[in-house]
Amino acid sequence: MPKPRILIVNCYSDNHRGARGNPWIVPQSIAPAVLAGMLDPPRVDIRLACEFRDGPFEDLHALQWAELLVLTGLNPAFDRMKQVTAYARAVNPGIVVAMGGPLARMLPKLSRRYFDFVCGDDVEQLVEVVDAVFGPGHAAETPIPRHDLLPASRIIGYAESSRNCNFRCSFCSMTAEDRKFMAYDLAAVRRQIEALGYRQCVMFLDQNFFGGPRAYFKARMALLKELFEQRKFGGWAALVTADFFTDADNLALARESGCIGFFSGVESFSRAQVSAFNKKQNLLLPQEETIASCLQAGLIFHYGLIFDLADQTIDEVLAETEFIVANPRITLPSFLSFAIPLLGTPLFGSRLREGLFLPNVRLRDMDGRSLVCHPLDSIEKAVAFATLMDKGLMSKRKLAAHAWGFWRRYGATLSGWGLLSGLGNAWAMSYPRFGSNGRDGIRPGRDGCRSYLAGREPLGSLYRPRISIPERYRAHFEPLCVTGPDGELHDDLLDDAARLLHPISGETATIPTYNAVAVP
């Protein structure tokens, strides 16, 4: 009996057909490998694709081959999911399409217009879909990510030791989903690392690697120390929340177990802005003290900055960046972004109630580089700031001086990989366009120039089908609109308004577990 043919695609909102992909950006998504790992390998024939890594997916032969197309991706990828579905149905009318991810939970009614299965639960739901399409009996006995289906690498491997987050930041999609923090048992963590084979760095993709009981964290550190001493990996890194740094013993445990460094959501050095983001964990210590303590312990510290021009003046933001670039005791940010009021988050609800959304905002405009809300400063000044942010907000001379001072201070303290990644942020801040594919409209051309203003940005070439598409699928190439001409919620989203604007309860429905236990 032939095996079911399943194609799993991680969709990403690259903005033009010529996008080169981001194979060298860290981290990469392992969502397709995790989904594939839910299924029994001998009983299915699976192919994986990732638009973030490889650029826009338009492999028509793979779409003709597949019987089931599974699409996943973050919030802005909804348009790409629709577009890939249109291509699939144009070349393979009998194909079944399933989609999941944050917007399957936020927009279940709208999603059913375009997809056969809308998966609002966790990755385990894929087994239910496959069994519904092909008959029962496809679940893996022991789920484990199918890294064998991803491009081989001995540099970085990815693993997870938990899912969801125990904090509720106002702008985070995890807050919108309002799901309980789940910690995987240690045996599952061990299996993942051993299945990777030797990697120079294992990066944990947990939303909060430090979440859950401290006893469990210490047990995990003991496991990693054991595996590190057995040379199963050369080092590891993870995302932690700021409460991790309140106890110096945590840094010691991490370093002893082979840790290279951390990413942590600093977002802002302004206490008022951190409070506005509801990042209570970031108020425990001064941000610069947290970063310096990590670096002094020999661990690199990465973070991003989020600017909210609806809540901050441009002068305040510029003063913050000047403070950072003049301080070689701390790392430079890894990225800069505008605050994105993602669908269903508290920030989305408050901005909608306060009438701060610009008119005709599209989901594709929520890219962290376009203005989607009315700023405190004039629109003209805010657009000029966004343009500068895309070219390089900080002086290259000051960035070079910071890099020199940082190297002199930590050159003998950090590992080679840590020092290299820390100094690499000076390059990222100097040439921000190298870190992303941008839009078609960076330069004048058929798709126009960037305006950095929601509703006025060029859509880009991905919104023009590359093959003949049946008329009934033409709507798949229309952008999802978030607001209408008056800045209110767009009519297409009204059926899902209750989910988009619901209060955060702190409680969640029971979900299937992946070797996991709920943690209060």
Side-chain angles (χ1 to χ4, degrees), residues 202-470:
V202 173
M203 175 165 287
F204 288 92
L205 297 176
D206 305 39
Q207 293 296 321
N208 182 8
F209 185 77
F210 188 57
R214 299 294 81 91
Y216 177 75
F217 170 74
K218 290 182 178 180
R220 197 184 317 160
M221 290 298 96
L223 171 64
L224 292 178
K225 182 178 180 181
E226 174 194 336
L227 297 175
F228 176 63
E229 291 174 347
Q230 294 173 1
R231 294 200 54 77
K232 298 291 186 181
F233 53 81
W236 62 271
L239 186 154
V240 295
T241 44
D243 53 327
F244 170 87
F245 299 97
T246 59
D247 186 345
D249 289 343
N250 291 335
L251 288 169
L253 285 173
R255 185 163 187 178
E256 290 171 4
S257 63
C259 183
I260 296 171
F262 297 103
F263 182 95
S264 190
V266 168
E267 324 315 2
S268 176
F269 288 83
S270 161
R271 191 174 180 86
Q273 193 57 44
V274 168
S275 297
F277 287 148
N278 195 38
K279 291 188 73 75
K280 300 174 182 178
Q281 65 274 25
N282 284 27
L283 300 174
L284 299 173
L285 291 171
Q287 306 276 56
E288 57 271 29
E289 181 180 323
T290 294
I291 299 172
S293 68
C294 186
L295 296 170
Q296 289 161 6
L299 305 176
I300 193 61
F301 187 103
H302 286 285
Y303 65 97
L305 282 186
I306 296 180
F307 305 141
D308 189 353
L309 297 190
D311 208 34
Q312 299 171 284
T313 66
I314 291 172
D315 287 343
E316 289 172 338
V317 169
L318 290 174
E320 188 171 358
T321 60
E322 286 298 312
F323 161 76
I324 294 168
V325 79
N327 188 353
R329 292 182 64 247
I330 64 176
T331 39
L332 294 167
S334 300
F335 66 85
L336 308 175
S337 174
F338 288 133
I340 307 173
L342 296 173
L343 300 184
T345 61
L347 186 63
F348 176 83
S350 64
R351 292 290 150 87
L352 199 62
R353 288 189 294 271
E354 294 163 10
L356 289 176
F357 270 107
L358 292 169
N360 302 314
V361 172
R362 299 161 299 191
L363 190 67
R364 73 173 276 78
D365 296 324
M366 293 183 167
D367 59 4
R369 279 291 193 268
S370 302
L371 299 167
V372 297
C373 292
H374 291 282
L376 293 180
D377 293 286
S378 68
I379 287 286
E380 294 75 18
K381 187 175 180 179
V383 166
F385 177 81
T387 305
L388 182 62
M389 208 167 105
D390 213 25
K391 293 178 179 178
L393 191 60
M394 302 177 189
S395 156
K396 291 182 177 60
R397 179 182 59 80
K398 292 181 179 179
L399 288 169
H402 181 283
W404 171 245
F406 184 85
W407 181 83
R408 290 185 64 188
R409 180 175 292 272
Y410 297 112
T413 305
L414 295 171
S415 68
W417 282 110
L419 188 62
L420 180 64
S421 68
L423 292 174
N425 288 349
W427 176 267
M429 291 297 100
S430 298
Y431 303 99
R433 286 181 183 170
F434 283 94
S436 66
N437 290 312
R439 292 184 186 246
D440 283 321
I442 285 179
R443 296 182 179 88
R446 178 174 179 180
D447 293 281
C449 293
R450 288 211 62 174
S451 69
Y452 299 96
L453 202 58
R456 300 184 188 178
E457 288 278 33
L459 282 175
S461 57
L462 286 179
Y463 288 78
R464 296 194 303 269
R466 61 169 293 197
I467 62 172
S468 177
I469 296 293

Side-chain angles (χ1 to χ4, degrees), residues 37-116:
M38 295 294 112
L39 304 172
D40 187 19
R43 299 213 52 194
V44 291
D45 193 356
I46 298 180
R47 297 182 187 179
L48 307 183
C50 179
E51 292 196 309
F52 179 79
R53 183 184 64 238
D54 299 323
F57 178 80
E58 293 177 346
D59 185 344
L60 302 183
H61 294 295
L63 294 173
Q64 290 172 323
W65 167 86
E67 297 173 282
L68 172 63
L69 173 63
V70 179
L71 303 172
T72 186
L74 301 178
N75 277 260
F78 191 77
D79 285 354
R80 277 303 293 161
M81 292 185 188
K82 293 191 301 175
Q83 292 164 6
V84 174
T85 298
Y87 286 126
R89 288 176 170 156
V91 301
N92 186 356
I95 197 169
V96 177
V97 183
M99 65 86 72
L103 286 194
R105 293 183 269 274
M106 293 298 104
L107 300 174
K109 294 180 180 178
L110 178 65
S111 298
R112 292 189 188 102
R113 296 185 194 175
Y114 304 101
F115 312 104
D116 300 307

